[in-house]
Amino acid sequence: MKIFILSLVIIFLSYGKYVYASTEWNRLNDKVESLYQQGDYAGAIVIAKKTHQMAEREFGTDHSNVVASLNNLAEIYREQGQYAVARPLLKRAL
């Protein structure tokens, strides 16, 4: 429950600001969402990791797109019940 609430806080904080993203970052982020909705968590994790790396490289480590990428990755792990993996990602996002 705490992880879910933390996820909601991160989503609120990351979308409360203007989020700039490159076309490629947006494309990959959309792919993560699509795979997640289809239940392809393994595929979503692979793309989510790439999206996160791209966000850090393009925007720096403190940008809201990095936070969004971390949150997406954590949410996939949380959905699979991998709370020990999701928790540090959410803490880092905060």
Side-chain angles (χ1 to χ4, degrees):
M1 183 65 167
K2 288 181 182 179
I3 289 178
F4 177 72
I5 293 170
L6 190 56
S7 292
L8 291 177
V9 169
I10 290 170
I11 290 169
F12 175 75
L13 292 174
S14 66
Y15 290 109
K17 299 178 182 178
Y18 175 74
V19 179
Y20 167 79
S22 69
T23 303
E24 181 66 9
W25 187 88
N26 278 326
R27 187 187 68 75
L28 288 173
N29 203 44
D30 290 345
K31 183 70 173 171
V32 170
E33 183 178 339
S34 174
L35 291 169
Y36 175 82
Q37 290 176 351
Q38 294 171 26
D40 182 0
Y41 301 128
I45 286 171
V46 170
I47 304 299
K49 287 179 179 180
K50 289 180 183 178
T51 304
H52 172 67
Q53 291 169 349
M54 178 182 286
E56 283 194 335
R57 187 175 58 250
E58 289 188 18
F59 310 113
T61 58
D62 294 331
H63 194 275
S64 58
N65 291 346
V66 174
V67 172
S69 297
L70 284 168
N71 185 68
N72 290 343
L73 190 55
E75 177 58 23
I76 298 165
Y77 285 122
R78 187 201 61 80
E79 183 66 29
Q80 294 179 306
Q82 297 184 37
Y83 305 114
V85 178
R87 185 178 314 258
L89 296 170
L90 291 171
K91 284 184 179 181
R92 183 170 171 218
L94 280 176

